[in-house]
């Protein structure tokens, strides 16, 4: 009987450890799922805002075209950058496209500045205002997304999560960063 007591203690300790490890894995898995869903939701918010901005650009081009029809290259660059933004798959491609679009919009606004009557156009002012509002929403969405990615990536990398997170199907996510930082260092100037 005395030999059985240590066996019961050992078995009890093993069962308690297994329960603790199981609860830890269950809790960690659920928190990783929640973070992953939050990052997916945040990316969806970014794509909605990028689409909204892309939908405004043709109106902006048409308005400027009415005053500066000879600036064909500028319009083509903006149109090409808009298409690149809409076709981007994932944060890395979207970051490259974002830089190109920002550069193209700067050129478009530079053209618009040369036409005072365009600057006074009510339609142009409305589209500019909507574009500024959308740019703010894109930036807010990007901060929210990158915050979620930071939390998820940290949770995946910390010990002991790093031992099993990848085996459970979780991997680090990409940040949404504009590849050409100079392109957004000075956002398109919009004057009212």
């Amino acid at each position: 009987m005395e030999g059985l007591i240590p066996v019961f203690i050992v078995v009890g300790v093993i069962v308690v450890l297994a329960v603790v490890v199981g609860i830890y894995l269950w809790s960690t898995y659920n928190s990783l799922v929640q973070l992953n869903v939050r990052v997916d939701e945040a990316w969806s918010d970014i794509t909605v805002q990028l689409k909204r901005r892309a939908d405004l650009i043709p109106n902006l081009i048409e308005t400027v075209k009415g005053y500066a029809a000879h600036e064909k290259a500028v319009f083509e660059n903006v149109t090409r950058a808009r298409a690149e933004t809409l076709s981007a798959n994932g944060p890395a491609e979207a970051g490259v496209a974002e830089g190109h679009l920002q550069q193209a919009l700067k050129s478009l606004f530079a053209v618009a500045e040369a036409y005072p009557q365009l600057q006074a156009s009510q339609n142009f002012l409305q589209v500019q205002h909507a574009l500024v509002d959308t740019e703010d929403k894109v930036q807010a969405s990007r901060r929210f997304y990158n915050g979620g990615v930071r939390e998820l990536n940290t949770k995946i990398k910390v010990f002991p999560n790093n031992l099993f997170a990848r085996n459970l199907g979780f991997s680090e996510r990409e940040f949404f960063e504009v590849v050409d930082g100079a392109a957004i260092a000075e956002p398109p100037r919009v004057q009212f």
Side-chain angles (χ1 to χ4, degrees):
M1 187 76 176
E2 283 184 26
L4 287 177
I5 292 178
V7 170
F8 284 130
I9 292 174
V10 170
V11 168
V13 168
I14 291 172
V15 167
V16 167
L17 283 175
V19 167
V20 168
V21 168
I23 290 171
Y24 173 77
L25 288 174
W26 171 75
S27 171
T28 301
Y29 178 81
N30 284 340
S31 66
L32 285 169
V33 167
Q34 289 172 342
L35 288 171
N36 208 31
V37 168
R38 187 179 309 152
V39 169
D40 288 342
E41 175 190 11
W43 182 250
S44 176
D45 289 346
I46 287 175
T47 58
V48 165
Q49 296 307 324
L50 293 176
K51 173 79 169 92
R52 179 175 181 228
R53 180 180 59 195
D55 289 345
L56 288 170
I57 290 173
N59 295 335
L60 184 63
I61 289 172
E62 288 304 314
T63 304
V64 175
K65 237 187 224 183
Y67 291 88
H70 60 282
E71 299 286 351
K72 186 176 180 180
V74 171
F75 302 133
E76 288 173 355
N77 288 341
V78 173
T79 302
R80 189 174 22 259
R82 176 185 179 271
E84 184 181 359
T85 299
L86 289 174
S87 66
N89 291 320
E93 284 184 29
V96 171
E98 184 72 10
H100 294 160
L101 183 62
Q102 292 298 323
Q103 288 295 93
L105 286 175
K106 282 182 185 180
S107 299
L108 184 65
F109 283 119
V111 166
E113 285 179 13
Y115 297 90
Q117 66 274 32
L118 174 61
Q119 294 291 324
S121 164
Q122 190 62 32
N123 188 32
F124 183 72
L125 293 174
Q126 287 173 345
V127 173
Q128 273 189 320
H129 180 70
L131 191 59
V132 168
D133 181 53
T134 302
E135 288 295 334
D136 290 343
K137 290 177 180 175
V138 167
Q139 296 308 317
S141 296
R142 190 169 88 198
R143 283 190 301 274
F144 182 69
Y145 171 80
N146 284 342
V149 168
R150 182 191 64 244
E151 288 180 46
L152 177 63
N153 289 352
T154 300
K155 185 99 173 174
I156 289 170
K157 288 180 178 180
V158 297
F159 181 81
N161 298 352
N162 61 349
L163 300 175
F164 61 86
R166 283 172 181 61
N167 293 335
L168 293 174
F170 296 98
S171 59
E172 294 176 35
R173 302 286 288 269
E174 293 177 283
F175 287 97
F176 179 35
E177 299 174 322
V178 176
V179 175
D180 180 10
I184 64 165
E186 185 182 318
R189 230 174 71 200
V190 178
Q191 298 174 327
F192 296 102

